[in-house]
Amino acid sequence: MRVLFWGTPEFGLPSLEAMRGAGHDIAGVVTNPDRPAGRGRRPRTSPVKAWALEAGVPVLQPERPGEEVFLADARRLSPDISVVAAYGRLLPPPALDLPPLGSLNVHASLLPALRGAAPINWAIIRGHRESGVSIQRMVAALDAGPVLGQTRIPIPAAMTAGELYAEAAKAGGARLVAVLEDLASGRAVERPQDDARATWAPKLDRETARIDWSRPAAEVADWLRGCDPWPAAWTSLAAPAALAGRTLQCFEPGVDGLRAGAAPGTVVRADPVRGLRVATGSGTLTVGAVKPAGRRRMSAAQWVRGLPDPREVRFG
């Protein structure tokens, strides 16, 4: 098939490689425009664009996917079908209906569970022990179209969002190729979703990633893992005085089963060997790694060793 691929981050790369490996013709890729990033604010090329340029595949970067000029350019590529994997924008009906075989989406959940922008994060934040990837036909409603194939992915107790992201991207590519084969052979079955069972995975950002220490330790641990590596769960520092008001991103949680005996958010241990233990709404939580503002990620013990007096550490 001739495929028009829509995607922006690394999540889409396994799907591109899987389709190319299966003999499909990537007619072009649609990705978000280059945006200024980093300290130098230089335009940054998306991973999908970088892949396309290396592969010699045409690249389209519309500001809005409903622009008529863009749609005309896309039609000239003569795709049979569109495949979307983390493009980052909703596609209007003219874009969805542009290829004769319509548009498919690689979505990182077991639909109808976790429709929306951040299914990988919320699967871990909500304590799910299983997630997966779904190949669904796109319709006007968000992630509501019929499902053509799914792959289940177990979530071990220590898995982070970054690790699940990698697993889902790989599984999505494999399942996508199987679905395309089914479509080509006429074996594809499109199973409608049960909207009554739908749950939602709203977008996360750095502002909403603040840690709520009043939650039970197990839930705080899920929050830290579900925000690792992005948007990164964080807390503010009240002491020592030199760091007051700054933020500290927290990673690698452990629920130790000890009673807190202190108000939620209290640092009950800041040890240069054993690291941090923090009181939560129920029990205490160890923090194995941190990232101070403007510095690299490091072990919590290493960060504590750099403080003038670890006994002064307090979260705001």
Side-chain angles (χ1 to χ4, degrees), residues 22 24 148 172-185 187-188:
H24 295 286
L148 289 84
R175 180 58 64 182
L176 171 64
V177 167
V179 166
L180 291 176
E181 290 176 357
D182 287 344
L183 283 170
S185 65
R187 298 191 307 267

Side-chain angles (χ1 to χ4, degrees), residues 25-221:
D25 181 10
I26 310 301
V29 303
V30 185
T31 191
N32 282 327
D34 297 353
R35 303 296 188 195
R39 292 184 178 180
R41 306 304 294 165
R42 293 181 178 178
R44 177 173 294 175
T45 298
S46 76
V48 164
K49 179 180 178 180
W51 183 95
L53 292 175
E54 183 175 350
V57 172
V59 177
L60 302 176
Q61 294 182 275
E63 285 290 343
R64 291 177 296 278
E67 295 173 350
E68 187 52 45
V69 171
F70 156 72
L71 293 174
D73 289 339
R75 291 189 193 100
R76 279 192 285 272
L77 295 174
S78 302
D80 299 314
I81 194 168
S82 281
V83 169
V84 180
Y87 173 56
R89 298 177 182 217
L90 292 175
L91 272 59
L96 291 176
D97 300 335
L98 187 147
L101 297 179
S103 301
L104 302 181
N105 181 38
V106 182
H107 184 78
S109 80
L110 297 173
L111 292 170
L114 299 175
R115 296 176 179 175
I120 290 171
N121 305 87
W122 286 103
I124 294 177
I125 289 170
R126 291 175 181 160
H128 293 189
R129 292 297 169 252
E130 181 183 63
S131 187
V133 64
S134 301
I135 310 302
Q136 54 119 191
R137 183 167 296 284
M138 298 181 71
V139 296
L142 180 64
D143 298 330
V147 174
L148 289 84
Q150 291 184 319
T151 298
R152 297 179 177 274
I153 302 173
I155 301 179
M159 179 177 266
T160 66
E163 292 165 340
L164 180 55
Y165 183 98
E167 290 287 331
K170 182 179 178 181
R175 180 58 64 182
L176 171 64
V177 167
V179 166
L180 291 176
E181 290 176 357
D182 287 344
L183 283 170
S185 65
R187 298 191 307 267
V189 176
E190 303 193 16
R191 176 174 53 83
Q193 294 186 46
D194 182 355
D195 292 342
R197 295 176 51 240
T199 58
W200 296 93
K203 183 179 179 180
L204 286 168
D205 57 32
R206 296 186 188 280
E207 292 303 315
T208 59
R210 185 169 188 160
I211 301 167
D212 180 359
W213 296 107
S214 71
R215 307 296 298 176
E219 293 184 15
V220 178

